[in-house]
Amino acid sequence: FIFEASYLHTREDFPVYLSVPNDEVIFLDVRIQSNYPEYDVFGGGIAWRYKKFALRAEGAYSPEREFATLPEDENGDSLSFVNARGRERPVIHSETSSYLTWAVEAEYNPSRRLYLLAGYSEYIINDRIDFLLISSNLTNVALFMVRATALRERLTFKVGEIYFLQDDEYIMAPRITYQASNQVELSVGANILEGNRGGNEDLGGVAPVSLFSKNDNAFVGFRYSY
């Protein structure tokens, strides 16, 4: 068994957007500002390993996080501001809430040639916030990975998938690598993104994959170590 506890004081790595007065013009106008608020994270976890099996569980809690919102009027349209030149600007606010995330993970490693991993996690905004922008009050994610080797572990096949249950979206990443020698490694792979809301005008919700659903790509690699 392994027990752990942690504390982190950090900044947001993804901006919190906010509409603020634009002081660079002589008429009344607003601009979108990107903020990176500081916050605290308290976490802990437990892990258990027995022969070919391993189980892990962990969680983290933030007393206060800030989230961008895109409020709507009584007709369901996003609030906006029209400046003196007739240009429309979105009105983006922010609200705060405590934030909880937890995850469980299981792995099975029957031999040096095969490794299986499955996990599940939830991200929860505890105080429900309406009209969230690029966030969700609840996000649940499943993770799967399979790795197999052949040719005395010189050839490795690996595929991983992150699946967003609420949005029915996923990211899949197949990989094949070949260790030609102690110095040379060859690889080929792809990143496949499938999002249901790609190209749509609705910015609400987390939409993590839809933002990049047209960015599928494939690659080949060469690595020389010395």
Side-chain angles (χ1 to χ4, degrees):
F1 282 94
I2 297 175
F3 301 90
E4 65 177 13
S6 61
Y7 165 75
L8 178 66
H9 179 79
T10 186
R11 292 182 183 273
E12 293 282 1
D13 56 359
F14 192 82
V16 175
Y17 298 104
L18 192 66
S19 297
V20 297
N22 188 353
D23 300 326
E24 299 176 358
V25 294
I26 58 176
F27 51 86
L28 185 60
D29 198 2
V30 295
R31 62 182 176 86
I32 305 301
Q33 178 175 288
S34 301
N35 296 333
Y36 294 86
E38 297 182 353
Y39 64 97
D40 300 300
V41 184
F42 303 88
I46 181 173
W48 171 76
R49 179 176 294 276
Y50 180 73
K51 295 183 179 180
K52 301 175 182 180
F53 298 91
L55 296 173
R56 286 184 288 273
E58 60 184 8
Y61 175 77
S62 299
E64 186 174 88
R65 296 280 291 272
E66 188 172 350
F67 303 91
T69 65
L70 194 63
E72 297 178 355
D73 59 22
E74 61 276 6
N75 298 319
D77 298 321
S78 298
L79 295 180
S80 61
F81 172 83
V82 179
N83 65 19
R85 294 183 176 177
R87 295 178 179 174
E88 190 174 10
R89 305 284 192 254
V91 176
I92 302 177
H93 298 301
S94 70
E95 295 188 32
T96 59
S97 169
S98 58
Y99 187 73
L100 173 68
T101 176
W102 65 271
V104 292
E105 191 176 90
E107 66 177 51
Y108 177 54
N109 193 15
S111 71
R112 296 174 61 181
R113 294 185 177 183
L114 182 63
Y115 175 81
L116 306 174
L117 172 72
Y120 174 81
S121 59
E122 286 190 349
Y123 306 85
I124 306 166
I125 299 176
N126 293 314
D127 302 322
R128 182 175 178 82
I129 299 176
D130 294 326
F131 313 119
L132 283 163
L133 176 65
I134 317 182
S135 297
S136 290
N137 286 289
L138 171 65
T139 302
N140 42 11
V141 180
L143 169 68
F144 307 96
M145 190 179 77
V146 178
R147 186 180 68 233
T149 63
L151 302 179
R152 297 183 179 180
E153 300 184 48
R154 287 186 175 274
L155 185 63
T156 302
F157 303 88
K158 182 168 67 174
V159 59
E161 180 180 5
I162 301 174
Y163 185 78
F164 295 85
L165 280 76
Q166 281 183 304
D167 295 319
D168 192 24
E169 302 178 343
Y170 65 84
I171 303 170
M172 183 176 291
R175 305 277 190 273
I176 300 176
T177 60
Y178 177 67
Q179 194 77 35
S181 68
N182 291 334
Q183 288 79 34
V184 177
E185 181 184 274
L186 308 175
S187 61
V188 60
N191 297 296
I192 303 166
L193 299 90
E194 183 62 36
N196 293 322
R197 289 183 285 173
N200 133 355
E201 299 300 322
D202 181 14
L203 291 178
V206 68
V209 183
S210 293
L211 296 175
F212 308 100
S213 60
K214 296 183 180 179
N215 292 343
D216 293 354
N217 59 80
F219 64 88
V220 294
F222 171 83
R223 174 176 291 177
Y224 179 77
S225 305
Y226 59 91

